[in-house]
Amino acid sequence: MATASKQQLRRLRTLGRGASGAVVWLAADESSGQLLAVKSAATPAAAEQLQREARVLSTLRSPHIVHFLGSHADAITGEYHLFLEYAPRGSLADEAARNGGRLGERDVRRYAADLARGLAYLHGESVVHGDVKAANAVVGGDGCAKLADFGCARAAAGCDLPVAGTPAFMAPEVARGEEQGPAADVWALACTVIEMATGAAPWSGDVDCDVFTAVHRIGYTDAVPELPPWLSPAAKDFLRVCLQRDPRRRPTAAQGLDHPFIVSADPAKHFWASPTSTLDTAFWESSDDEDDEEEASESAAGRISSLASPRSDLPDWDSEDGWIDVRSECSQVSESPVVTAVNIGAGFGCLSSGALDAAEVGLRAVDVEDAIRNPTSHVGVVDFVKPQQRHSSLSVGGLGLCLRPVACHQGRTLDRNSAVLVMSNEKSSLIMHRFGHFVTRLTSFMDALLFILCISVDVLVLRQ
Ligand SMILES: Nc1ncnc2c1ncn2[C@@H]1O[C@H](COP(=O)(O)OP(=O)(O)OP(=O)(O)O)[C@@H](O)[C@H]1O
């Protein structure tokens, strides 16, 4: 990003939406035409998570980590924006989808090598990614896979954040809530190799293996993910060594770089010139959203305007609201504790204290604003102290909030907008699950057992 004292960016199109509630969009610097990805969070908790991500990313510099370009906190709206290098090919999951759902071994190996290099660098900086998977790695214009989405990142040692990540990619020690160190990233890297090769997350081939059964299997049995039979012996060996259940027996990411599977990886494939600017011809030749027959304007402003066409899926495309002022320096971000019993669930559509009283559950601070904006959000709430007797749930619709017994959710399936929250009481255990995301704070082994039991019951009801 240029370093003018003030810049204006224009939203061009949505690049992705994450389970965290953040929206990633493509933006162009009005004056230079430079393209960048902006990850924006509207709710206070999502903004706080993004601030954490900014803090981590701002310390990192590697061709295998998505580049951090700055951040901006909007004091008026409370929104937080993270500015990132634009990766024109999207995530590795997008790359696999474009290729018919899965990648050939040659591509898998090349991307695995990039991710292993990224992890070796990251772990050398004493940072753990915490959520390695194909959706969290993007492919830059240089053809390299880069680690992105540092929302679950943490210090490699002495970190007291609750374990986090995506259940199917969790290492056994993470699933048990014990520790989440660099070795857990190595396990997740192997899971990502399986995901790229098969087009599905590990464990998903198991019949009746829902996410909670999977977490239980990962944490408390001897099972390891099934290896794709068509992979080469070198690939299978790499997976076997990285999927050691004992984290101490796994290679480090740096040691993994010497494995024949990684050593034999081809150099990055340059798909096209990296479109870092709306002035790049490659950008115009490859944009899916544009009408090929439309002539691109010669000026940066003209090109940006035509990109921001009414066909875009973002509302108010042409309004002044679509512009944001960006400070040249990174905004200062607060050093306040990131995870507390109150803010941890905000990305899930937390509850207000009024709702708490009505729900008669152990939830304290709740803000349903985010969920209300999204009419498909469903939040199940379980009193962890008496999980069987006091199931309650919240259904948040576009018009407001109502409380219903969990049974009312029968017939609905969990989706990316569904969440299940389990609270024990205000001071001890806090366990939350959101499909695709999993956050635990376990204070005892009993908590872990109760969690598995009560959440399974609840989710079974929700999924019927
Ligand atoms: N720098 C980027 N360039 C291009 N696309 C990107 C970039 N960063 C993210 N995306 C797209 O946006 C999607 C969501 O981004 P990201 O994973 O950072 O969000 P998130 O809210 O943290 O997601 P989740 O919590 O579900 O993992 C990615 O899967 C990818 O498709």
Side-chain angles (χ1 to χ4, degrees), residues 35-39 57 66-70 82-86:
L35 295 171
L36 63 158
V38 182
K39 189 168 176 180
L57 270 173
V66 70
H67 286 180
F68 170 80
L69 300 172
L82 190 60
F83 305 114
L84 301 166
E85 157 194 15
Y86 168 51

Side-chain angles (χ1 to χ4, degrees), residues 163-223:
V163 299
T166 305
F169 295 76
M170 283 180 174
E173 69 276 14
V174 180
R176 290 193 298 271
E178 289 170 2
E179 61 170 311
Q180 190 165 22
D185 280 346
V186 171
W187 173 287
L189 170 64
C191 293
T192 307
V193 167
I194 294 174
E195 186 188 16
M196 288 190 281
T198 64
W203 311 103
S204 44
D206 299 9
V207 182
D208 296 334
C209 193
D210 65 28
V211 71
F212 301 106
T213 315
V215 168
H216 181 256
R217 277 192 75 188
I218 298 166
Y220 297 98
T221 71
D222 289 334

Side-chain angles (χ1 to χ4, degrees), residues 15-16 18-20 24 37 39 66 85 87 91 94 135-136 149 416 437:
L15 294 170
S20 65
V24 183
K39 189 168 176 180
V66 70
E85 157 194 15
S91 71
D94 299 330
N136 287 343
D149 191 355
R416 284 175 72 82
H437 262 244

